[in-house]
Amino acid sequence: MKSGFVLKGDICYSRNPNVLHTRQDGYLVCEKGRVTGVFEQLPERYGDLPLSDFGGKLILPGLVDLHCHGPQFAFRGLGLDLELLDWLEAHTFPNEAKYRQEAYARTAYAMLVEELRRGPNTRVCLFGTIHLPATLLLMDLLEQSGLVTMVGKVNMDRNCPDILREESAAASAADTRRWLKDCAGRYRNTRPILTPRFIPACSGELMRELGQIQREYHLPLQSHLSENPKEVAWVKELCPQSSCYGDAYRAFGLFGAEVPTIMAHCVWSEEEELSLLKERGVWVAHCPQSNTNLSSGIAPVRRYLDRGLRVGLGSDVAGGCHTSIFRAMADAIQVSKLRWRLVEDGEAPLSLEEAFYLGTVGGGSFFGKVGSFEPGWEMDALIIDDAPLAAPFPLTIPQRLARVVYLSDDRHIVAKYVGGSRIF
Ligand code: GUN
Ligand code: FE
């Protein structure tokens, strides 16, 4: 059993989207991997617990990336001159095909996992590739890193090149079952998640098979939704009977309700789709940097929030170049200002507090009680030495947080805890 401990420092976390809780020189008590409480003075009953004094440093909740493509880390920052469908054909599919070779996968995934381990995210939902050995390898490396993750073997059986197309719906389903068998009992912190790539790459037969697997294994699910106008038009052609893109997933029982589901992007979701997302409790992974890089558009995140949708942030590497969810917070604020100025003057920009909430509690809720320091929540924490970001005048804790969101990099993170375990 994990024992208890105390962290001392300048504590900052969200409880709701509009309020930051701060406690200068405060005490964060953790027992059995969960937060006991945040205190101004350390109560006597915790006096015997070991204390780490991070005086003058920030203590923040770990960040959550709801949407990242593991294999795409290898070509991040490259080939970003195309829109989604052309980018997939020209760059993504050829790069993902390389993961058939285990030696390549081992080298590439080791680079990704080391960056994730050192960075500010403590929980990540990742796409792998169609390849079983490479996906297990990614999961093994993630397990060793101490992060908590959900990882998907990708399913795709149509509209993609031979080098990356699974032979048939039946073959894709059989591989998925084999992968689930191989995962069973193997990990503590790494969970499988069903991962149909998106409607254009998955036949109806495959989606029916995945629906069956979902019901048998009760797995969560991740996919893409309404990212790019040409993609949305294509889905309309492929699924003329569906009333919207989200309805095409729903038709196979793969859109929320009993299935904890993440849909990435939702840039072009209209009223009906937003209602379906809300009704079925689907998490939207807002991926502002990818939406900019691939000219997908500016997602209506204010609309999601006004309607009470579940929303977190995603890096969408390699549509996005940065794994850090601090960067996604800054991007989310910046693109929301452009949307407000250029597209919808009724949709107010995101505040820093809101962006911080989305990148902690918003995405964390997909993993349970994660992303805050409320009593009983899982203890994921970052210790940040922001002394290099000092100003020639005193900064409040919210001001220091703003600096970290806009300017920090991984070198400022001096310690990291996941589920109450220190990973460095
Ligand atoms: N839609 C289907 N596949 C992908 C992918 O790999 N990245 C992004 N951004 N969108 C997708
Ligand atoms: Fe994606």
Side-chain angles (χ1 to χ4, degrees):
M1 193 192 294
K2 286 175 199 161
S3 52
F5 59 87
V6 182
L7 306 182
K8 182 170 190 237
D10 298 335
I11 299 166
C12 178
Y13 62 100
S14 286
R15 199 180 288 162
N16 70 55
N18 300 310
V19 182
L20 284 177
H21 288 263
T22 63
R23 178 70 67 197
Q24 184 139 13
D25 284 324
Y27 297 86
L28 173 61
V29 178
C30 168
E31 294 173 294
K32 297 180 187 165
R34 292 184 182 266
V35 174
T36 304
V38 171
F39 305 95
E40 192 173 356
Q41 302 287 336
L42 186 63
E44 230 179 272
R45 59 189 182 280
Y46 306 122
D48 289 340
L49 295 179
L51 182 146
S52 299
D53 190 348
F54 293 113
K57 299 183 176 58
L58 283 171
I59 303 179
L60 308 176
L63 312 188
V64 181
D65 185 351
L66 278 190
H67 186 70
C68 178
H69 294 263
Q72 298 178 20
F73 181 73
F75 73 102
R76 70 199 185 286
L78 309 178
L80 290 170
D81 45 0
L82 297 170
E83 282 191 58
L84 175 67
L85 299 176
D86 295 333
W87 172 79
L88 288 172
E89 289 288 331
H91 300 293
T92 309
F93 294 154
N95 266 288
E96 288 195 11
K98 297 178 189 172
Y99 289 75
R100 204 163 87 91
Q101 298 165 21
E102 280 179 62
Y104 179 83
R106 188 177 298 279
T107 307
Y109 280 149
M111 292 175 176
L112 164 73
V113 173
E114 184 49 21
E115 163 139 330
L116 293 179
R117 193 186 71 82
R118 275 293 313 163
N121 310 339
T122 52
R123 315 243 169 179
V124 188
C125 292
L126 292 123
F127 281 50
T129 58
I130 59 170
H131 311 100
L132 228 106
T135 303
L136 284 170
L137 218 144
L138 172 60
M139 295 174 86
D140 290 351
L141 292 170
L142 287 165
E143 180 75 9
Q144 288 160 25
S145 74
L147 301 173
V148 175
T149 60
M150 297 194 202
V151 181
K153 185 208 96 61
V154 172
N155 299 98
M156 46 199 289
D157 70 339
R158 68 173 180 182
N159 294 319
C160 45
D162 289 350
I163 46 165
L164 201 63
R165 188 172 49 241
E166 298 182 285
E167 226 174 83
S168 63
S172 177
D175 258 12
T176 303
R177 289 176 188 280
R178 201 170 320 135
W179 165 62
L180 292 170
K181 219 170 251 153
D182 287 346
C183 293
R186 185 163 163 152
Y187 305 114
R188 232 164 41 95
N189 291 326
T190 317
R191 273 189 72 189
I193 178 168
L194 269 186
T195 305
R197 181 164 212 126
F198 66 159
I199 291 284
C202 299
S203 66
E205 196 186 340
L206 175 54
M207 295 299 273
R208 269 186 293 280
E209 293 271 10
L210 295 180
Q212 182 59 34
I213 292 174
Q214 201 289 321
R215 284 185 290 280
E216 280 171 41
Y217 287 82
H218 304 289
L219 293 174
L221 179 140
Q222 57 182 355
S223 196
H224 295 93
L225 183 68
S226 298
E227 176 175 1
N228 171 288
K230 283 187 196 140
E231 171 214 20
V232 174
W234 193 14
V235 171
K236 213 170 247 168
E237 262 174 50
L238 290 167
C239 307
Q241 72 289 4
S242 294
S243 55
C244 63
Y245 193 160
D247 186 53
Y249 289 106
R250 188 206 50 78
F252 300 104
L254 298 174
F255 200 71
E258 293 87 51
V259 190
T261 298
I262 300 169
M263 286 288 157
H265 301 288
C266 307
V267 178
W268 298 98
S269 298
E270 293 181 355
E271 282 307 321
E272 185 194 350
E273 194 159 275
L274 292 173
S275 300
L276 207 56
L277 287 162
K278 165 77 180 156
E279 231 174 79
R280 304 181 73 91
V282 172
W283 275 260
V284 174
H286 176 42
C287 305
Q289 191 178 85
S290 171
N291 294 340
T292 304
N293 282 334
L294 299 178
S295 309
S296 298
I298 310 175
V301 66
R302 173 62 61 202
R303 244 190 262 172
Y304 309 153
L305 296 179
D306 286 349
R307 281 169 175 67
L309 267 57
R310 292 168 163 165
V311 189
L313 297 177
S315 65
D316 195 31
V317 162
C321 316
H322 293 84
T323 56
S324 168
I325 292 300
F326 281 135
R327 175 63 195 249
M329 292 175 191
D331 290 332
I333 295 168
Q334 289 170 342
V335 302
S336 74
K337 291 176 180 172
L338 294 177
R339 184 170 172 95
W340 175 63
R341 176 64 67 211
L342 300 173
V343 186
E344 287 291 345
D345 63 8
E347 294 182 18
L350 287 184
S351 64
L352 184 89
E353 288 82 357
E354 288 172 320
F356 184 65
Y357 178 87
L358 294 181
T360 54
V361 181
S365 61
F366 193 71
F367 288 84
K369 285 182 160 182
V370 169
S372 185
F373 292 146
E374 293 288 292
W377 286 47
E378 292 193 58
M379 215 293 278
D380 287 12
L382 307 172
I383 312 298
I384 301 202
D385 179 2
D386 61 334
L389 305 173
F393 47 84
L395 294 173
T396 63
I397 292 178
Q399 287 175 324
R400 288 166 61 194
L401 175 69
R403 281 253 157 121
V404 166
V405 167
Y406 284 108
L407 297 170
S408 75
D409 64 48
D410 295 356
R411 288 169 298 185
H412 299 120
I413 306 168
V414 295
K416 181 167 169 177
Y417 295 80
V418 188
S421 296
R422 185 168 178 171
I423 69 167
F424 68 80

